[in-house]
Amino acid sequence: MPNVLHKIKLLLRKPFLPLLRLLAGNRKAQMVFLFFLLPLPLALFVLAVALPVRHLAFEAAPAKPAAVDSSNHQHLKEPEDEAEKQVLAEKRLALAIEEAFWQVRHQMSKSDSIGLVVNLSDSLIILEVKGVPMRQSRIVRYDRSDALDHLAAKGRLRQWLASPFILQRELATLPKAPIRIIEAPKDTIEAEQRKTEIPIEDRDVHFTWEFDRNLTIVVEQEQTPSWEGRLQKLWYETQRTWNTAAATVDSLAQRRLPEHRFWIALELNRDDAKAIYRALPQNANLALHL
């Protein structure tokens, strides 16, 4: 194994050897190299992150005007204390998110297709059909984009969550529908002789879902990956980076600011992650509770 790692390191270093020899021991050349290198990541950060976060363009869910019966409605006096106002605003936001979540699940229950429910407040991820949970798994850990707080501060989070998210693209380290080729026995005698249990697939799981309205969900397995799994994840991460860079370049080529994606990272048990990834169909709906 150390020999393999050493060969990989040498292979990765080979294209950069002339540059390393030029910079070795030459402080002036090093300073010039850094001077010309630093503006590139800074420019990419500004174009791909800072400016999109400032504008936060996303596809808004269609707003439906709600009929309000004001005959018995009593206007409550707003608190004057700033701390009380903040607490009241947080409670209102929590109720609005809860309302949107259940409205979306009700809407999804009218479909015959498998849907996905991600409930961060209860640390649950659920596969359901017509409102009936088919598989419920615990979210071990999760993280989410700070831009979601920015969206809430602008008062647009409720609208963003008001309709089901639709799955558009996915990328994974494992096949969606694995195929196992087995030679059929010639007769029952040979079938009895070859009767063995089919081994369970032991493969690491990492995948990314991209939904509409600029939502990305990244799922990682709880277990430590194997050596082969680390190589697969390296290739998977390379593809993710390439796709992001290609989308950014395409936006800039069309004279548009790159869209900033709101991301949620989930850590699940490997078997749960594998089952959920393979069960979720194309264009699946998602109900999200933050």
Side-chain angles (χ1 to χ4, degrees):
M1 190 65 68
N3 292 334
V4 175
L5 289 174
H6 183 65
K7 290 181 180 179
I8 293 176
K9 290 180 181 178
L10 291 178
L11 185 63
L12 294 175
R13 289 179 56 187
K14 188 174 181 180
F16 303 100
L17 284 177
L19 180 62
L20 294 175
R21 293 194 187 101
L22 176 64
L23 297 178
N26 190 336
R27 186 171 182 82
K28 185 177 180 180
Q30 293 174 2
M31 296 299 294
V32 172
F33 176 74
L34 290 176
F35 178 78
F36 285 101
L37 181 66
L38 287 177
L40 178 60
L42 181 61
L44 288 175
F45 174 80
V46 172
L47 291 174
V49 179
L51 289 178
V53 168
R54 182 177 179 85
H55 292 276
L56 283 176
F58 71 95
E59 303 168 22
K64 296 182 179 179
V68 179
D69 182 11
S70 59
S71 57
N72 296 321
H73 184 70
Q74 295 181 355
H75 294 279
L76 298 179
K77 185 179 179 181
E78 290 287 335
E80 297 180 358
D81 184 67
E82 290 298 327
E84 292 181 1
K85 287 183 179 180
Q86 180 66 23
V87 172
L88 182 60
E90 291 176 356
K91 289 182 178 179
R92 285 174 174 170
L93 178 60
L95 288 174
I97 292 175
E98 189 77 19
E99 179 189 24
F101 175 66
W102 288 106
Q103 285 180 350
V104 170
R105 291 190 71 176
H106 175 69
Q107 184 177 344
M108 288 170 53
S109 68
K110 300 176 183 178
S111 172
D112 294 331
S113 180
I114 298 176
L116 181 68
V117 177
V118 175
N119 189 338
L120 297 184
S121 62
D122 292 336
S123 296
L124 291 175
I125 182 169
I126 306 168
L127 286 174
E128 64 179 25
V129 179
K130 297 188 76 66
V132 179
M134 307 301 293
R135 183 175 185 127
Q136 179 173 292
S137 306
R138 183 177 63 91
I139 299 174
V140 180
R141 275 180 290 273
Y142 73 86
D143 195 8
R144 63 189 185 96
S145 172
D146 292 335
L148 291 172
D149 297 328
H150 184 72
L151 200 63
K154 285 192 170 185
R156 300 166 67 183
L157 185 59
R158 166 67 174 81
Q159 185 183 6
W160 188 64
L161 298 169
S163 64
F165 293 89
I166 300 175
L167 179 62
Q168 295 181 328
R169 289 175 296 275
E170 56 188 8
L171 178 67
T173 58
L174 73 163
K176 186 76 170 180
I179 299 175
R180 187 186 299 271
I181 300 176
I182 300 177
E183 185 178 353
K186 297 178 181 178
D187 49 37
T188 55
I189 298 176
E190 184 178 346
E192 287 295 329
Q193 292 174 348
R194 292 170 49 185
K195 190 175 182 180
T196 56
E197 292 186 2
I198 298 177
I200 299 176
E201 180 186 20
D202 184 19
R203 188 164 185 159
D204 293 318
V205 183
H206 310 277
F207 59 87
T208 299
W209 285 317
E210 291 188 4
F211 295 85
D212 64 342
R213 305 205 293 281
N214 300 348
L215 174 63
T216 297
I217 296 182
V218 180
V219 178
E220 303 285 345
Q221 67 180 27
E222 176 187 10
Q223 292 82 354
T224 303
S226 62
W227 166 248
E228 183 181 359
R230 290 175 183 173
L231 293 179
Q232 292 172 349
K233 186 180 180 183
L234 177 62
W235 174 242
Y236 156 79
E237 294 288 356
T238 302
Q239 288 178 290
R240 281 187 58 199
T241 304
W242 172 259
N243 292 342
T244 302
T248 301
V249 171
D250 182 63
S251 297
L252 295 176
Q254 299 181 26
R255 299 182 180 181
R256 293 186 289 105
L257 283 176
E259 293 183 345
H260 182 81
R261 300 197 66 86
F262 306 98
W263 57 266
I264 296 174
L266 306 178
E267 188 173 305
L268 307 177
N269 178 273
R270 178 169 56 190
D271 294 336
D272 290 334
K274 188 185 304 180
I276 290 172
Y277 170 72
R278 287 178 170 166
L280 199 67
Q282 295 180 350
N283 302 320
N285 288 345
L286 163 70
L288 178 62
H289 191 300
L290 299 177

